[in-house]
Amino acid sequence: MSEKVTILLAEDEPALGQIIRDSLETRNFKVLLCEDGEIALKKYKENDPKLLVLDVMMPKKDGFTLAKEIRKENNEIPIIFLTAKSQTKDVVEGFTIGGNDYVKKPFSIEELIVRINSLLQRTNLQKTAEIINLGHYTFDFRRQILQYKTEKELQLTHREAHLLFNLYKNKNEVLDRSIILKKLWGTDDIFSSRSMDVFITKLRKKLNQDPAIQILNVRGYGYKLVC
């Protein structure tokens, strides 16, 4: 029997937390259920979870604050935020902090499980990716590092790294906007679309030292990485 994947679940609603834990455990996951952000941080440090599911609105330490602290020492662990918040600025903040997915309440357990499995699969692919040369840049996908020639390394967020990797895999071809949104954000709604635009802008700034590299906006279709 394969080893169970450990998931840390931080949810302050006892009934919802219990439902999610029971559902995940029936799918052969090991679940560490925490009722607030401080307990979650303690459990994170004591254990070795492979994925975090964090409620945004929690007592003592909210999900965004918890994610910021964890991202200071771990840029690779996937993070899913659970929240009733749906405003664009909240969604963008979650992704900017380093979140990998954003599930809005109410949601189906099956939807959450699909997103968890998708993130775990992408993380496994990331571990096997090699170092990529982009013009005068070196892109270490596994470490989420971008470096121009021999200058200081730039740390990318998890989502920036995955977006750049997908652009690279389709370099000099148009990357369909809807496909990449569903793959990395889980949905192609307006909130996710605006969030992706923010990340594209960030990547352009980080790649602007090499004029031969461009991320072009193909109106009505998607983006193209030219290098």
Side-chain angles (χ1 to χ4, degrees):
M1 182 181 293
S2 60
E3 183 180 352
K4 292 184 177 181
V5 173
T6 300
I7 294 176
L8 188 149
L9 168 63
E11 172 56 64
D12 67 324
E13 296 180 40
L16 179 57
Q18 187 68 47
I19 290 171
I20 296 173
R21 181 177 68 179
D22 291 349
S23 298
L24 290 175
E25 288 179 344
T26 63
R27 269 75 168 186
N28 205 37
F29 289 106
K30 177 181 178 182
V31 181
L32 305 171
L33 177 58
C34 311
E35 63 187 19
D36 64 58
E38 287 187 357
I39 294 175
L41 183 60
K42 183 172 182 292
K43 289 287 186 182
Y44 166 78
K45 292 179 177 179
E46 293 174 348
N47 296 273
D48 183 29
K50 302 304 179 186
L51 183 142
L52 310 179
V53 179
L54 310 178
D55 185 26
V56 173
M57 302 298 290
M58 290 189 293
K60 297 184 180 180
K61 192 186 298 287
D62 66 83
F64 286 167
T65 301
L66 176 59
K68 285 179 184 177
E69 294 183 16
I70 290 174
R71 278 288 179 247
K72 289 178 182 178
E73 58 182 75
N74 189 331
N75 280 309
E76 296 186 2
I77 188 167
I79 299 176
I80 297 176
F81 289 118
L82 303 179
T83 181
K85 291 186 172 184
S86 61
Q87 294 205 15
T88 302
K89 65 181 181 63
D90 297 314
V91 176
V92 171
E93 180 181 2
F95 286 132
T96 302
I97 288 167
N100 305 101
D101 209 343
Y102 206 102
V103 180
K104 299 171 188 174
K105 298 179 180 178
F107 56 86
S108 73
I109 297 298
E110 290 303 322
E111 176 191 1
L112 178 61
I113 290 171
V114 167
R115 290 173 184 254
I116 287 172
N117 285 328
S118 176
L119 272 178
L120 290 173
Q121 289 170 6
R122 294 206 314 252
T123 302
N124 289 334
L125 285 174
Q126 177 186 359
K127 291 177 180 177
T128 63
E130 58 188 42
I131 293 176
I132 296 165
N133 292 317
L134 286 173
H136 292 297
Y137 285 89
T138 301
F139 174 34
D140 187 333
F141 180 41
R142 187 186 64 81
R143 295 173 56 225
Q144 299 173 196
I145 294 291
L146 189 65
Q147 184 178 27
Y148 179 71
K149 295 183 177 180
T150 58
E151 294 187 7
K152 183 180 178 181
E153 294 180 341
L154 296 175
Q155 182 68 60
L156 302 179
T157 67
H158 192 97
R159 191 167 296 275
E160 285 173 338
H162 275 277
L163 182 55
L164 181 56
F165 183 64
N166 278 273
L167 285 164
Y168 169 76
K169 287 196 300 181
N170 296 272
K171 65 179 180 178
N172 300 318
E173 298 179 1
V174 180
L175 182 62
D176 185 281
R177 184 183 188 89
S178 180
I179 290 176
I180 196 62
L181 278 169
K182 290 177 180 177
K183 182 176 181 181
L184 298 186
W185 274 261
T187 175
D188 60 354
D189 64 20
I190 186 64
F191 302 113
S192 299
S193 183
R194 289 176 179 171
S195 174
M196 185 170 74
D197 290 339
V198 171
F199 279 89
I200 289 291
T201 299
K202 290 182 177 181
L203 285 177
R204 283 172 173 154
K205 289 180 180 178
K206 291 178 178 179
L207 292 165
N208 66 6
Q209 288 182 275
D210 187 343
I213 300 176
Q214 298 182 67
I215 301 177
L216 304 178
N217 181 14
V218 182
R219 188 175 298 277
Y221 195 77
Y223 292 101
K224 179 194 288 189
L225 175 65
V226 177
C227 58

